[in-house]
Each structure stands twice: as structure tokens, then as C-alpha cells.
Amino acid sequence: MNIEKTIEWIKIDELNGFSRMIDQTLIPYEYKKVDIKTSNDIFSAIKTMIVRGAPAIGIAGAHGVCLGAIEALNKEDFIEETKKTAQYINSSRPTAVNLAWAINEQLKVLEENKDKNPKEIVKLLIENAIKLEDEDIEINKKIGDYGAEIIPQGATILTHCNAGGLATVGYGTALGVVRSAWAKDKTIKVFADETRPRQQGARLTTYELTRDGIDTTLITDGMGAYFMNKKMIDVVVVGADRIALNGDSANKIGTYMVAIAAKYHNIPFYIAAPKSTIDPSIKTGEEIVIELRNKEEVTIINDKPICTDKVNVINPSFDVTPNELIAGIITEYGIFKPNEIYKLFE
Ligand code: MRU
């Protein structure tokens, strides 16, 4: 399968290049790629969600380190300057651990080669970023293949937010499971939650799935339990932004509510995520930092306020689903019970 990359490093030559990514703020109105040529612009692209989704922002971070290193080539302290840029980019969004993970993979290259000349190091950083891109697609296909095994024939799958090709370099995690299941059985269907406030489900998930010809129904965030009660949902599969060692999983705000409803209705709830989404430094979900975004995401739709400006607004971007609500975590190494996911680090 030929997969178009959501984000990719465009090589000008061995020492020069830039990050090309789909501008996800424009979908579904426009499908446009933007070229990001400085480390500061990588920071902004992640913060403003031109690129979003845990694995995709990881790759953006890896590209940012390449750009930071290119920018530091003529500076006296090349290593320290590049590290500073890496730290700065890492601060763009706090919850998805893939960002820190990918930046760290680049910092390892920097550290292991610190005695080489800076140009040589830039080449190695670019090579490593391209390797991470290609591996991301391979990992997602493996997640998809393992995940397809738990999708019953003719099932309707509920998903929340967008854990698709757009949230990764390509293919997707939760939507990778959908894609692999659909390749085997064209009768499966998807229900996609709208995913307020930024509507990744409505704007991105339905865009991706219908483009692939997969039968997709859009519902608003409050409708899931209704359709579960009507026996119209067979299984829930979502992505994750950070998973603790006990399997507690952070994902887009609203996921926790879906998981509770699924438990009540005896519907299996799965997380699909690569190993790089697991944070071995934290034992439980209580330690996960939840990003708070601006109130305008909630109060303004299509440039118009939808409520009085006297109202209080809090806008957490993620919530944590406790491990006891999760039937399994689908990874590139197989499917794990949440309380056994730590075994990946033994
Ligand atoms: O705020 P976003 O759009 O970056 O949030 C994305 C999600 O919550 C996804 O479900 C998660 O990153 C997994 S993507 C494979």
C-alpha cells in the first residue's frame, strides 16, 4: 500500500531541508501542505495544531531538532544550542509523550556523535528523522494487523477524536485497526464522535474514512451511550497520547466518558498506540500532565461567540481513562492487558 505521508522531511541536500506537513487546521475545507523551515515555526505548528496527533507531533519534534541543528551550524556551541532548541520544541504541547520520545531519540544521536563535526551530526539527525518517519508507518500497520483480530465480523466500531493517518505519518493507530479490519471485511462500519471543541472526529476522522470508502456515521459527543444502549456499537477503539505503566491512558477529552459508557453496556474498549506512547517514567495516570487550552476553542464557533462572555470556561484537552475500563492496549508488539503493558519495558 502506498501511503502519503502526513508529515515528511524534504531533503534539499544532505545538510539542508525542511518539514512538509498537511495543514490540519484547514481540513475539510482545504487540503494543503505547508513547508516549515525554522525551528520556531515547528514550535508554532505544533502549538497551533497545524500538525496534531501524538505520533505526528513526535515526528514534527524530530524535524524541529534537525532545523535547530542546521540553525546552530555556525554557532560556537553547536551541541548546546541544538539541545536548547530541542527543549524549547518539547515545551510546545505537554501531554503527548511521543513528542518528548522523538526529541529524545534525536538527542541520543546528538550525544553519541558529539565528537564528530557539526555537519556530520546534522546529516545523522536528518537520517534519523527519516528513519523515524518510515518506522511510524510500519508500526501502525502492525498495530492495525493485531487490532483487526479483535474486530468481530460486520462490527460497528466507535472511535473518538482522530487517531488516523493524519495523526501519524500514515495509516493511523485506532484508524489503522479500522483500515486493517476493513481490508478483511468490507461490512464493518464506524461511528465517529464529533470531538468538541476542535472537532477532530467530525473534520478529520470522517474525512479520512469516507475518502477510503469506509461506511462512517458522524455523531455528537453526547450520543455514544444512546447508540450503545440501542446495541448499535460493538467495540470502541481509540488512540492515546500518554500511557502510564499501569495502563491508565490519556487521550482526547471525552474519551473517559466513552469508556465509562462502554463498561456499563459491556462493550469492549480498546486503546491502539505504539510503544512510544507509553511513558515508562510514570506509574499511574495521575502523573500525566493535562494540557489546558484557550477558552476561545470552546466559546467561539465559526468566528462567532456561542455564549455570553460572562461565563467561566475551562478547556482541558485530554482526560485519563483508568486501566480497569480498558479491555486491551493494541501495540506493534501485540495486545496487552493494561496492567501488563509494563512488560514491554522489562
Ligand atoms: O489534540 P490532538 O488532536 O493532538 O489530540 C489527538 C488525540 O487525542 C489522539 O487520539 C492521539 O494523539 C492519538 S493519535 C494516533
Side-chain angles (χ1 to χ4, degrees), residues 51-295:
V51 59
R52 39 67 51 202
I57 66 175
I59 299 300
H63 290 177
V65 178
C66 296
L67 290 169
I70 294 169
E71 289 156 11
L73 266 179
N74 296 324
K75 299 202 176 143
E76 211 169 287
D77 204 342
F78 169 80
I79 299 281
E80 277 316 305
E81 287 294 327
T82 307
K83 279 188 187 165
K84 254 195 245 164
T85 307
Q87 263 170 14
Y88 171 63
I89 294 168
N90 194 24
S91 69
S92 54
R93 290 192 80 189
T95 304
V97 74
N98 305 63
L99 178 60
W101 173 83
I103 287 176
N104 203 37
E105 290 296 301
Q106 291 289 61
L107 289 178
K108 279 189 215 160
V109 171
L110 197 67
E111 194 56 35
E112 282 159 16
N113 297 285
K114 62 174 185 245
D115 297 329
K116 297 200 172 116
N117 83 52
K119 284 187 176 170
E120 190 56 36
I121 298 176
V122 167
K123 274 190 219 164
L124 293 170
L125 288 170
I126 291 175
E127 271 168 32
N128 197 45
I130 295 170
K131 181 174 118 289
L132 293 176
E133 281 171 27
D134 294 336
E135 282 174 357
D136 184 67
I137 295 176
E138 291 316 310
I139 287 168
N140 292 334
K141 285 185 184 162
K142 285 186 189 153
I143 292 173
D145 289 345
Y146 281 118
E149 300 293 321
I150 55 93
I151 305 294
Q153 207 185 352
T156 297
I157 304 157
L158 174 67
T159 192
H160 189 75
C161 194
N162 173 267
L166 289 165
T168 60
V169 179
Y171 204 71
T173 57
L175 297 194
V177 172
V178 168
R179 289 198 162 93
S180 297
W182 190 77
K184 294 204 309 202
D185 168 18
K186 301 276 188 286
T187 68
I188 65 153
K189 295 187 172 86
V190 175
F191 271 45
D193 282 346
E194 175 192 18
T195 318
R196 277 280 286 149
R198 292 194 63 117
Q199 293 150 326
Q200 290 93 328
R203 293 190 304 104
L204 309 176
T205 295
T206 67
Y207 176 86
E208 274 195 35
L209 293 179
T210 55
R211 202 174 49 171
D212 280 3
I214 298 173
D215 186 323
T216 308
T217 302
L218 173 64
I219 63 173
T220 66
D221 295 339
M223 293 179 184
Y226 173 85
F227 288 110
M228 289 178 188
N229 183 253
K230 294 271 174 230
K231 306 211 178 308
M232 288 170 71
I233 308 291
D234 300 295
V235 53
V236 181
V237 187
V238 299
D241 290 84
R242 191 182 292 239
I243 301 174
L245 274 187
N246 71 344
D248 292 348
S249 300
N251 190 46
K252 179 54 53 192
I253 191 79
T255 303
Y256 178 30
M257 210 164 61
V258 174
I260 292 171
K263 187 77 171 180
Y264 182 78
H265 293 95
N266 279 321
I267 295 168
F269 174 97
Y270 287 92
I271 296 282
K275 185 180 174 192
S276 54
T277 301
I278 303 162
D279 183 348
S281 75
I282 58 167
K283 289 203 178 81
T284 77
E286 274 178 38
E287 294 168 74
I288 298 176
V289 176
I290 300 293
E291 177 183 12
L292 285 175
R293 293 188 64 89
N294 64 57
K295 67 175 194 173

Side-chain angles (χ1 to χ4, degrees), residues 26-39:
L26 302 176
I27 295 176
Y29 311 111
E30 223 182 307
Y31 183 86
K32 195 175 110 182
K33 294 195 176 184
V34 285
D35 294 341
I36 308 287
K37 298 185 172 169
T38 68
S39 57

